[in-house]
Every structure is written in structure tokens, then in C-alpha cells.
Amino acid sequence: MKCPVCGGRVILSREFVCSNCGLVIETPLFYDEWEKPERIHHNVYLRSLKLNTTLDWKDKDYSGMRTRPFYKLRLLERQFKENENILELRNLISSIMCKLGYNLSDEAFFLYLIHADKLKYRRHLDVAAGIVYACLRLRKIPISIEEVSVVSSAPQKSIKKIAKLLKVNPITAEELIILTGFDLQVKKLAIKLLRSCKLRGRSSRAYAAASLYLSAVLQGRKVSQMQIAKICKTTDITLRNALRDLLSNLEISILL
């Protein structure tokens, strides 16, 4: 390409410039993104290491003058960090769902977006575990807080708090009976015994263990109270106390 004025050679350095007379012939419409000086770059490697830039809140440059671009840059930086947090939370939700064996990660993430204001200032792992538990319970899937806690390594107390915030009902005694590995006949009779009386004041695990033990005894199965207490993850003392309530409700007398 030659200069139309002097016929010299044209060089490209951000513009098409004549090397002889210095005439600017043409300015390209698109700059290279690394050559454009006004462009603000975010290094990918620094982002992965969480080494982010934090802008000052004063909106002033080195001379003390107030500048509006700093305010806009801080808004962009805040939005970028929020997007990073949401992506991290979504990855945690999908990983916990995959470990539990359910394909409901999108539904759980949508549930989080609905209740995002209630779950502010909490740890991402606790929020992800609580959202997964709430999503599965809303689908009426029989799953306990202990299972979600073991898979996600989040504490059970934090999952319970999030479940209370989202107004999710905990697992019932009937669902716990279904989860156990007993025979179908024992499970059916245990659920019938629970439905025939109204029991309150104790945990669902205690009543599930008591009804399973009573069902096994009535059907002539040789099962100890310690075995059923271990399966239902409770103690034999709570099992006996729940069994007394169950027997007084059903008006049945057996030797404990």
C-alpha cells in the first residue's frame, strides 16, 4: 500500500500512517484488545487465585479530584464478584446433587434465586447443602439431614437453620421407616401402627424405631432394641421411652 500524496510506504501502527510524510490515511474500526489503552483487563489467572482489585470508596484520583469513572468501575467490580459467587454456589449445588444421585441441580439453583435475600452472609457450602435438602424435601423425596451433611461435609445445624428459613418440613417417621432395610411386612405394620395413633413430643427417629421394634415383635422376629436403635441412628433409651408412648396409645401390653 502506497501513500496517495508522496507515494511512500504505509505502515500500520494503530493507524495506517505514511513512513515518509507521516500522513494518517485510515483509522481502523477495530483495535486489538491488548493494544487499546482505555480497555480494562482482568487477568484470568489472578481471578482463579482470588487476587481481585479492590477500588477505594472515595472516588478520587491521585491529585484529590473526584472522578465518576471510579464509581462505575466499582459497580462493575461488585457485579463481577457477585457473578463469581453465584457460579461457585451453583457448582457446589450440582456437585452435592450428583453425589446424592439426583438430577435436580437446576431446580435447586432456581430455589436459591427465589430465596437469595434470606440466605445472605452465610457460607457457600452451608447454603448449597441447605438448598439441596430443601429442594429434595419439597419434591417429597425421603432424605435425612444426616445424609446431606455426610455428602457435603456441612454441619447439620446450619442445614436445619436454612430448612427452617425456607419453611421446609423435616423427614417424618413414616419416611424413615421406608428408608430402612427391613422386610416389607414389618414396614407395612409399623406404618399402620404409627397412623393408628397420634404421637407428639418426641423426634421422628424415636417413633420410627419404636414402631419398627413393635412390628418386629408382633410378627415374631428376633430383633434387639440396640440393633434397631443403630439402624434408626438413635439410642435404646429413647426407643424405650417412645415405645411406652406407643403402647399406651394403642393399649397393648408387652414385656420390654
Side-chain angles (χ1 to χ4, degrees):
M1 188 175 178
K2 291 184 179 181
C3 178
V5 178
C6 65
R9 197 177 66 162
V10 175
I11 302 169
L12 175 63
S13 62
R14 294 189 185 172
E15 293 97 6
F16 290 101
V17 183
C18 177
S19 61
N20 190 18
C21 63
L23 177 70
V24 178
I25 299 164
E26 188 182 351
T27 303
L29 291 174
F30 301 101
Y31 287 106
D32 187 5
E33 62 175 349
W34 297 105
E35 290 182 359
K36 192 172 180 181
E38 295 86 7
R39 188 178 291 276
I40 299 156
H41 306 291
H42 296 286
N43 198 332
V44 178
Y45 301 105
L46 293 180
R47 288 289 176 191
S48 62
L49 293 170
K50 303 294 181 184
L51 299 173
N52 300 331
T53 305
T54 305
L55 296 169
D56 193 13
W57 60 271
K58 294 179 182 178
D59 295 337
K60 293 181 181 179
D61 59 2
Y62 66 95
S63 62
M65 297 289 290
R66 293 187 68 85
T67 52
R68 190 161 180 79
F70 281 109
Y71 173 72
K72 292 180 179 178
L73 286 173
R74 194 186 303 110
L75 284 177
L76 288 171
E77 188 73 17
R78 194 181 301 163
Q79 288 173 4
F80 194 87
K81 286 178 181 177
E82 285 176 1
N83 293 337
E84 269 192 344
N85 292 336
I86 289 170
L87 283 172
E88 186 182 349
L89 191 64
R90 184 164 189 172
N91 291 333
L92 280 170
I93 288 169
S94 61
S95 66
I96 293 167
M97 276 288 187
C98 288
K99 287 176 183 176
L100 288 169
Y102 297 101
N103 191 16
L104 298 169
S105 57
D106 292 336
E107 191 174 335
F109 183 67
F110 184 68
L111 183 68
Y112 164 73
L113 292 177
I114 293 169
H115 302 283
D117 295 334
K118 297 179 183 177
L119 303 170
K120 281 183 179 179
Y121 313 113
R122 292 179 184 272
R123 204 170 60 146
H124 282 181
L125 186 64
D126 301 344
V127 172
I131 285 290
V132 166
Y133 175 73
C135 178
L136 294 174
R137 289 300 301 135
L138 288 171
R139 276 294 194 102
K140 295 183 179 179
I141 295 169
I143 192 165
S144 60
I145 292 173
E146 289 82 0
E147 290 179 62
V148 180
S149 178
V150 168
V151 168
S152 63
S153 69
Q156 295 181 23
K157 287 183 179 179
S158 59
I159 298 172
K160 283 179 184 176
K161 285 179 183 177
I162 291 167
K164 282 182 181 178
L165 276 173
L166 301 179
K167 296 178 181 179
V168 176
N169 295 323
I171 192 166
T172 59
E174 293 180 11
E175 290 172 342
L176 282 168
I177 289 166
I178 293 165
L179 285 173
T180 56
F182 284 95
D183 296 338
L184 190 62
Q185 294 178 357
V186 177
K187 287 180 183 179
K188 279 184 178 179
L189 184 58
I191 291 168
K192 281 181 182 178
L193 290 170
L194 276 176
R195 286 178 180 175
S196 60
C197 56
K198 293 180 180 179
L199 298 167
R200 288 181 183 177
R202 299 190 187 277
S203 65
S204 56
R205 290 191 176 278
Y207 286 127
S211 60
L212 279 169
Y213 178 73
L214 184 59
S215 173
V217 167
L218 290 173
Q219 291 185 10
R221 307 290 177 89
K222 291 183 179 180
V223 182
S224 65
Q225 293 178 0
M226 285 290 290
Q227 288 175 351
I228 292 178
K230 281 182 181 179
I231 290 166
C232 295
K233 294 178 183 177
T234 184
T235 59
D236 53 344
I237 298 166
T238 54
L239 188 149
R240 276 189 226 107
N241 293 332
L243 188 60
R244 286 192 187 97
D245 295 344
L246 194 66
L247 291 171
S248 62
N249 244 303
L250 295 169
E251 296 179 357
I252 299 172
S253 59
I254 60 168
L255 291 172
L256 295 176

